[in-house]
Amino acid sequence: MSLAAQIKHATYTALLELFPGADIAETSITVNQTKPEFKGDYTIVLFPFVKLLRMKPDELGNKLGAALLSTSTLFDSYEIVSGFLNMTVNDNFWSGLLQENFNNEHFGEQATTGKNVMVEYSSPNTNKPLHFGHMRNIFLGYAMAGVLKRTGNNVVKANLINDRGIHICKSMIAWQRYANGATPETANEKGDHLVGDYYVKFNDAYKQEIKELVAGGMDEATAEKEAPIMKEAQEMLRKWEAGEPEVYQLWQTMNGWVYKGFDATYKRMGIDFDKMYYESDTYLLGKSIVEEGLKKGVLFKKDDGSVWIDLTDEGLDQKLLLRGDGTSVYITQDLGTAKLKYNDFKLDQSIYVIADEQNYHMQVLKLILKKLGEPCADGIFHLSYGMVELPTGRMKSREGTVVDADDMIDEMISLAQQQTEAAGKTEGFTTEELATLYETIGLGALKFYLLRVDPKKKMIFNPQESIDLHGFTATFIQYAHARICSILRKEGLPKLPAKETFASFTLTLPVTPAEKKLAVTLEQYPDIMNDAANEHNPSLLCNYSFQLAQQFNSFYDEHSISKAENEEKKQLRLMLIIMTAQTLRHAMQVLGIRLPEKM
RNA sequence: GGUCCGGUAGCUCAGCUGGAUAGAGCAUCAGCCUUCUAAGCUGGUGGUCAUUGGUUCGAAUCCAAUCCGGAUCACCA
């Protein structure tokens, strides 16, 4: 149990003892960290009980403070300031925390829950390379999976690849028309980029054809339907669905190129998956669910044979589930996939990392499954995140304003190199070590930049700011970690020394404010991890890690570790920095960010 | 128009299940390297928490209305 929770509970018990029969709920007790300008570590807010117990704040505070001192060994002293009871925690608590946990690799993790949780993220289309918008999705999904794993769940990282449909056929048609048989090898281009180029070419050609048709006297709406290249794409989709070998083979080949490209990008990002789903396998699923829904009378059929669900009672609209010709629409296959996932892994929770533009879709999906009585419905959770925009507005792939993922990674790594060289910090590294370091810094900065804001909020990608390696960045945290590692190297200690290393430690001297600040923050880590899981918000770990690194830097500036005043202080501070480094590593590892030992 | 999300310092964001004088980073100004890594530290400047009303001992936080911005409401995916 966290210290704050312990204090809350101790307060509850003390209040019940002091005022038997009073109507006090533990949840009505507020325990906050004490503001820096007051003496104390944690503060109990007295106001809620002043009225209830008909007592003056000072009187109540004195009674409660005295009771806490006598019943709990946690506290040293208390002070009352205008309705706030500020408790000072005994120094032994902090040294105990350190001795107990300084080398605990699993500090911050929760006991296993036995729950099966799937996190689906990335979920790209195979007609273009990954771009900046995907990166937020990917890093967020990976981080969320990491958080859920550390909080005791069995996590399945899943990727649902949108490998079929009209958009894929567009790239294929354009390739047939314009590529002259080019392959990634002959064009010397990553496969996903090559295919993406032809997707762009399709749209250019399409626009051109529309223009010509309109010039010939056709109205625009008709021209959009009648453009030959669009008709060819639609024809190709029909052939694909009919399983025509030639089309099917081209489809396989081009998707193969794309997958190779994706794999390379995922690998550079340090991202992986446990399970791949392909829409070409799942797009026909869901029909049987619809059939059953019809039988149950949850769904209804219109005169043209199309199947619908009426959600007007829920404040939503009617939603189409099957076309008049019996073919499925997007949501039909999602119904099927949801059930498939559930059956594959006996999921307690199924998280979809999808942009907030699909909030309505996800709401409808869950609702339909619920109405159909599917057991997978309850576990569905839409981790909705805001879209990434440029300072000039939304990125549009058709308008070429997207920031490509591979380019962005290259840019960040080369920037890390420039900054490192400019700072003259390249000495003592081999060439390979430097390459690794630049990658660690560049990718870390990128991931942190995308993870540090609340997922729910849309974010503006400011190229200027994203490449900054100062302030609220991964670099700042990496630097603090490298500093600690440097001290440990000089002390001849490993990153996580054995417990016996400090077996002789006994606390006799007062803990300084800077020392305590670090210890207080370290103690809160498990709570933060828990919050990140409950709120589905990995940005909490960014904020926390930055705060911890910041406090370490202040501490480092104020206190010498190697040349501490005496052996006791040295040991205390070593435990502090070892645990700090371990906690930073732990938090960053959850987010997929590496910390160098030297930089 | 219906539904949903957002509006906090010049910029980017924390804080939002109500608690003390609203916090960081960037930018800007002034200091700190003969001492464990200055990618750092210390301090200053900078606020009508969109607006108005309400609830409360107490509101950036809860409620209502209004204004502004965005998303969505396809036999697209």
Side-chain angles (χ1 to χ4, degrees), chain A residues 484-494 501-502 560-564 567 570 574 577-578:
Chain A
I484 294 173
C485 290
S486 172
I487 296 169
L488 296 179
R489 268 196 304 276
K490 290 192 174 156
E491 289 296 321
L493 287 169
T501 315
F502 304 106
S560 179
I561 293 123
S562 301
K563 292 177 190 152
E567 184 59 20
K570 184 169 178 176
L574 281 170
I577 66 167
I578 289 163

Side-chain angles (χ1 to χ4, degrees), chain A residues 301-306 308:
Chain A
K301 213 173 223 179
K302 287 196 178 172
D303 291 341
D304 63 356
S306 57
W308 296 74

Side-chain angles (χ1 to χ4, degrees), chain A residues 166-187:
Chain A
I166 189 73
H167 48 292
I168 313 296
C169 292
K170 289 177 182 177
S171 307
M172 287 161 66
I173 283 290
W175 184 86
Q176 276 189 334
R177 274 206 195 181
Y178 306 113
N180 290 317
T183 68
E185 288 74 31
T186 63

Side-chain angles (χ1 to χ4, degrees), chain A residues 33 46 167 278-279 315:
Chain A
Q33 209 175 326
L46 297 170
H167 48 292
Y278 297 90
E279 268 188 25

Side-chain angles (χ1 to χ4, degrees), chain A residues 153-165:
Chain A
N153 302 287
N154 304 318
V155 178
V156 182
K157 291 177 282 188
N159 192 356
L160 172 60
I161 298 188
N162 191 334
D163 62 345
R164 62 160 287 281

Side-chain angles (χ1 to χ4, degrees), chain A residues 152-296:
Chain A
N153 302 287
N154 304 318
V155 178
V156 182
K157 291 177 282 188
N159 192 356
L160 172 60
I161 298 188
N162 191 334
D163 62 345
R164 62 160 287 281
I166 189 73
H167 48 292
I168 313 296
C169 292
K170 289 177 182 177
S171 307
M172 287 161 66
I173 283 290
W175 184 86
Q176 276 189 334
R177 274 206 195 181
Y178 306 113
N180 290 317
T183 68
E185 288 74 31
T186 63
N188 193 24
E189 193 180 7
K190 255 179 103 227
D192 48 340
H193 289 262
L194 182 79
V195 171
D197 290 347
Y198 288 100
Y199 183 67
V200 172
K201 274 215 171 87
F202 174 93
N203 284 302
D204 291 345
Y206 180 42
K207 263 187 234 158
Q208 183 61 32
E209 288 183 5
I210 291 172
K211 216 166 149 189
E212 282 163 17
L213 289 173
V214 170
M218 196 179 276
D219 69 275
E220 194 155 338
T222 316
E224 280 173 13
K225 281 183 197 152
E226 291 301 318
I229 196 166
M230 181 57 90
K231 292 194 130 181
E232 282 176 52
Q234 282 159 353
E235 178 59 21
M236 184 171 258
L237 182 60
R238 273 189 290 277
K239 285 181 178 170
W240 182 88
E241 292 198 359
E244 213 166 275
E246 205 175 306
V247 170
Y248 210 79
Q249 201 175 354
L250 176 62
W251 172 75
Q252 276 184 321
T253 305
M254 288 182 70
N255 272 348
W257 296 342
V258 172
Y259 295 146
K260 224 171 155 187
F262 282 174
D263 284 348
T265 304
Y266 287 140
K267 197 171 174 196
R268 281 185 93 191
M269 289 176 169
I271 296 295
D272 59 3
F273 301 93
D274 305 309
K275 173 72 181 175
M276 305 294 269
Y277 288 103
Y278 297 90
E279 268 188 25
S280 55
D281 293 333
T282 62
Y283 82 107
L284 294 175
L285 295 175
K287 282 193 189 180
S288 59
I289 299 178
V290 172
E291 295 301 324
E292 221 163 291
L294 271 174
K295 265 185 228 158
K296 285 185 190 162

Side-chain angles (χ1 to χ4, degrees), chain A residues 449-481:
Chain A
Y449 182 77
L450 285 168
L451 287 171
R452 69 184 196 178
V453 287
D454 187 331
K456 283 199 299 290
K457 297 196 173 177
K458 74 172 180 196
M459 64 178 293
I460 295 178
F461 167 59
N462 183 335
Q464 287 281 309
E465 193 186 276
S466 70
I467 58 176
D468 195 349
L469 304 183
H470 301 270
F472 186 27
T473 62
T475 315
F476 184 95
I477 292 160
Q478 289 169 328
Y479 185 64
H481 181 259

